[in-house]
Amino acid sequence: MLPMSPYDLLTTHFRIDTLHQKALKRLGITTVYDLLMHLPARYEDVSDIQSVGGLQKDQEAIVFGQLSGLKTRKAWKSKRPISEGYIEDGSAKIKVMWFNQPYMAKMYSDGMYVKLVGKVTGSEGKLYIANPEVEKLDALPVDRHDSIFKGSEITDDTIYPVYRETKGVTSKWFYHTALKCFEKGVLDVLLDPIPETILQKYKLPNLKTALVWIHSPKKAEHAESARKRFAFEEVFYIQVQKALDRAAVSAATTYQVNTDTKHLEAFTSRFPFALTPAQTTAIASIIESFTQNHAMSRLLEGDVGSGKTAVAATTAYAVATSRPPEGRKSNELGVGPLTDLEWGNLQVAYMAPTEILAKQHFESFIEYFKHLPINIGLITGSGCQKFPSKSNPNKPTPISKAQLLKWVKNGEIPILIGTHALIYKSVEFKHLAYIIIDEQHRFGTNQRKALAKKDARIPHLLSMTATPIPRTLALTIYGDLDITLLDQMPQGRKPIITKIIGPGQAASMYEHIRSELEAGRQAYVICPRIEEPDPDKQTALILKSVTAEAQRLGKTEFKNWRLGVLHGKMTPAEKDKVMARFAAHEIDILVATSVVEVGVNVPNATNIIIEGAERFGLSQLHQLRGRVVRGTHQPYCFAVTDSKSEKTKERLKALVSAKNGFELAEYDLTFRGSGELYGAKQSGLSDLGMEAIKNLKLVEAARNEARDLVAHLPFNHTTPDLARHFPLIAERVAKIGESLHME
Ligand code: ADP
Ligand code: MG
């Protein structure tokens, strides 16, 4: 018989009914290779596990089993509430009791698989586990020798893989099926996509070894080493994709921009402030990129208020005062004189995520470009404007969309600011040389080309974000971009005063907010949920919902103030309307979910209360409080938590001490994992890849190797020919691209 091929359908070799086939498909598993690459999520070390039947009084118990008979009752004498039930593991059943924790019986339910850690107490024959910690499991660990719950002799095999499961397909099945695939010889025909030299350089196991080690490790180090290899591999493929993108951009021609420093200094000297050193460096890096003969791809990361708009405006000015090559050439050749109208200048498209933000950028640009003979257009879903107006050189004027589009097309408007309306088919530029985008994480190469339309030249790209993400994640998801940090705040800003409000400390906070409202300020109240509050399963804390909290506050703490509500389930138009009313100070207090995090500027809103702060990542809390650091008044942030846990308080304290958002993002990554990090979801990384993000060396290695590999590839027309020279890598990269596009 032929050996099993990794490309074979699983059903060719295993009997799997249609129900389970469907379940597997949901996990993206159809072939043998898919199955082998369904890696264990974690391992259980069974040498620590005791069987329920063998438990003795005063023992510190770690048991796995199924819950039953859960209920709450009152203690006989003291009337204190007790939750109780049983845990059963096949060897025996033992009672479990939680004193003063009536919610435990509600948080868990009969039939659930759990791991319990707690002390065995009671008297002989009436033993029970007291106040155990509970960890919910999707399933019990694989019983590799079918006896782990029977107190059998200890063998070497104590590490058991636990897989992400799906309806009816258990860890046990994944484990045994992987082993059967090994037996059927699949490892002998598997080819390793990663070049031997790379594996050796980083001491990574080859594919064959890694698969054995990851599915059936004899030692924890083996599993660790195998995971490292697969993590490296995943980040490597992403980096190859990014390097290919980058190579494609580099191969295309772009526009040359006037980068005369005197010219730019004349522009920035008009600002009512001096640039921060970070702004100066950022501008210099962008201008330096403009001198290259391929298009820039750059990410500008800076906290809210770090002054990204000034960087955008200055570099936009450099572009908007530059001539397209045809114009120059004609003049040089003496074909001219060509009028401005005939050639126009190079053009800039500045895209914002919302209409309000687009308008704000438009207004900022008007300030920066006042008195200069440069037209600026605004295009949004609800209308268009042009600056300056004919009648007033300091004011914009509404114009028709048709008129605006005409002027953009003939080059008379060199700077166009807008929402997504910018990338509509109808918008055509004459010489689009520079795209600036604000907080749009998904702006890819294709959108960039779409904006450039038929233009053979690829525009320079500056992507700006206030999203604090750790360096490793930035290197991965923005692997095709150069990264510039704006890590300094303009001088003279009042640093935000952040207070952590524990249980029972809210009164003084409300007192403070009321005095701020009296003084004419406004406030945000951020709640973690939209609908009715419900007991949170994990912590049993009552979460405040936006609607309920707004009602409560309106009746109590803020009886005489105007409250508004904003949440993610409202339509964009509804949201815009509420924000506009808040901006116009028709609303004093905006009770909202975290949707307000996108950079809207209401300088008079200088207070923010964040309820359930323990639920948010630090970087998200940081971004939320960024809403109130825009004005000239002293800003305040109140992070409210009902949690009594010292760890939680410790973590929240970092908000008070950290210097910037990047520091907090790193902190999040170290202490909470990457799950809730910004950009984590968009990255398309698997759980294992997410783990890899904690390892800067690994990410840098994968990135360097990927760039190196792509840099040495011969070209096929305009793109490096990966498919021909590394077909296996090309296959994996294509697959990753697919899953990214599926979102
Ligand atoms: P970001 O977009 O990075 O959040 P903005 O560009 O909107 O920040 O700038 C925030 C505010 O800071 C604006 O009012 C701007 O005029 C001001 N600003 C920008 N740079 C400086 C600077 N170097 N010194 C003082 N104020 C500045
Ligand atoms: Mg901004």
Side-chain angles (χ1 to χ4, degrees), residues 323-589:
R323 280 299 161 84
E326 295 89 337
R328 271 192 247 124
K329 202 189 275 164
S330 307
N331 283 325
E332 282 156 21
L333 294 176
V335 179
L338 293 163
T339 63
D340 281 2
L341 234 170
E342 275 170 301
W343 285 115
N345 285 341
L346 294 187
Q347 288 170 300
V348 182
Y350 186 171
M351 190 155 93
T354 66
E355 193 160 326
I356 303 175
L357 281 169
K359 280 189 192 131
Q360 278 182 9
H361 292 326
F362 182 59
E363 280 154 21
S364 308
F365 263 53
I366 289 174
E367 282 302 308
Y368 288 122
F369 283 84
K370 232 173 1 196
H371 307 303
L372 289 173
I374 294 175
N375 292 327
I376 305 175
L378 173 71
I379 179 169
T380 70
S382 65
C384 299
Q385 297 192 47
K386 173 185 161 285
F387 173 86
S389 111
K390 273 215 184 81
S391 52
N392 187 340
N394 291 323
K395 283 253 151 63
T397 178
I399 58 170
S400 75
K401 187 171 166 195
Q403 184 61 66
L404 181 89
L405 291 182
K406 197 179 128 212
W407 281 336
V408 170
K409 191 172 175 181
N410 73 15
E412 270 187 81
I413 292 187
I415 300 179
L416 183 61
I417 299 174
T419 52
H420 267 93
L422 261 180
I423 45 178
Y424 290 162
K425 266 212 207 80
S426 53
V427 184
E428 245 181 278
F429 293 85
K430 189 165 189 185
H431 298 291
L432 180 61
Y434 188 25
I435 301 173
I436 303 170
I437 52 172
D438 203 21
E439 295 297 347
Q440 308 250 296
H441 303 275
R442 284 153 192 256
F443 196 88
T445 315
N446 289 337
Q447 276 162 301
R448 186 168 176 179
K449 283 188 188 141
L451 249 175
K453 301 267 159 47
K454 286 158 271 163
D455 201 333
R457 292 192 170 80
I458 286 195
H460 299 283
L461 172 74
L462 182 70
S463 179
M464 306 198 295
T465 179
T467 306
I469 63 174
R471 190 172 146 70
T472 44
L473 190 58
L475 286 178
T476 306
I477 53 183
Y478 303 118
D480 53 335
L481 306 180
D482 295 319
I483 299 178
T484 302
L485 289 187
L486 275 190
D487 51 5
Q488 277 166 328
M489 279 292 173
Q491 284 197 332
R493 280 290 160 75
K494 293 198 178 70
I496 188 163
I497 296 176
T498 298
K499 294 221 162 93
I500 313 299
I501 304 293
Q505 300 173 335
S508 63
M509 166 181 84
Y510 289 124
E511 191 58 39
H512 168 86
I513 302 275
R514 280 191 296 268
S515 72
E516 286 281 304
L517 296 174
E518 300 282 356
R521 303 286 83 74
Q522 289 161 279
Y524 296 98
V525 177
I526 308 297
C527 301
R529 274 176 204 259
I530 302 166
E531 302 298 342
E532 282 311 291
D534 63 347
D536 174 41
K537 288 263 163 17
Q538 289 298 309
T539 57
L541 296 173
I542 303 295
L543 293 175
K544 290 179 174 155
S545 79
V546 166
T547 37
E549 181 68 354
Q551 275 174 11
R552 184 185 78 83
L553 291 173
K555 282 189 204 137
T556 56
E557 304 293 348
F558 301 126
K559 216 185 291 175
N560 304 316
W561 301 96
R562 297 163 298 179
L563 280 91
V565 166
L566 185 78
H567 57 71
K569 288 211 178 130
M570 292 160 68
T571 66
E574 286 170 340
K575 281 192 245 177
D576 276 3
K577 206 162 133 195
V578 172
M579 274 320 296
R581 288 185 57 214
F582 188 58
H585 204 165
E586 290 163 26
I587 292 172
D588 299 302
I589 301 154

Side-chain angles (χ1 to χ4, degrees), residues 678-736:
Y678 281 99
K681 289 209 184 77
Q682 292 97 312
S683 70
L685 284 165
S686 72
D687 296 347
L688 187 60
M690 278 299 164
E691 237 174 87
I693 295 301
K694 288 189 179 187
N695 186 340
L696 179 62
K697 275 207 190 113
L698 185 148
V699 170
E700 277 177 344
R703 178 175 154 104
N704 291 339
E705 295 303 332
R707 287 191 160 191
D708 192 55
L709 183 118
V710 170
H712 289 96
L713 279 178
F715 267 63
N716 173 13
H717 299 292
T718 55
T719 45
D721 199 352
L722 184 71
R724 171 139 179 227
H725 299 274
F726 294 95
L728 289 171
I729 295 180
E731 201 181 293
R732 305 319 304 163
V733 167
K735 188 121 193 214
I736 282 190

Side-chain angles (χ1 to χ4, degrees), residues 585-602:
H585 204 165
E586 290 163 26
I587 292 172
D588 299 302
I589 301 154
L590 188 64
V591 185
T593 48
S594 48
V595 290
V596 296
E597 69 200 42
V598 176
V600 172
N601 194 359
V602 182

Side-chain angles (χ1 to χ4, degrees), residues 273-276 279 302-310 368 490 493 630:
F273 49 75
L275 292 172
T276 63
Q279 282 171 317
D303 269 358
V304 168
S306 58
K308 295 185 289 294
T309 318
Y368 288 122
R493 280 290 160 75
R630 308 216 125 204

Side-chain angles (χ1 to χ4, degrees), residues 80-96:
R80 291 223 185 104
I82 298 175
S83 290
E84 62 180 20
Y86 294 90
I87 183 162
E88 184 169 12
D89 70 353
S91 70
K93 191 166 163 178
I94 189 171
K95 191 162 194 170
V96 183

Side-chain angles (χ1 to χ4, degrees), residues 168-210:
V169 190
T170 60
S171 273
K172 193 169 166 176
W173 186 86
F174 281 117
Y175 171 69
H176 287 294
T177 312
L179 286 196
K180 277 184 209 145
C181 292
F182 296 165
E183 280 163 23
K184 287 174 189 250
V186 70
L187 296 176
D188 302 329
V189 291
L190 258 185
L191 297 174
D192 195 337
I194 306 292
E196 184 71 39
T197 47
I198 296 183
L199 296 176
Q200 275 170 7
K201 188 160 160 193
Y202 301 102
K203 299 198 176 57
L204 298 169
N206 66 29
L207 182 59
K208 197 169 151 176
T209 309

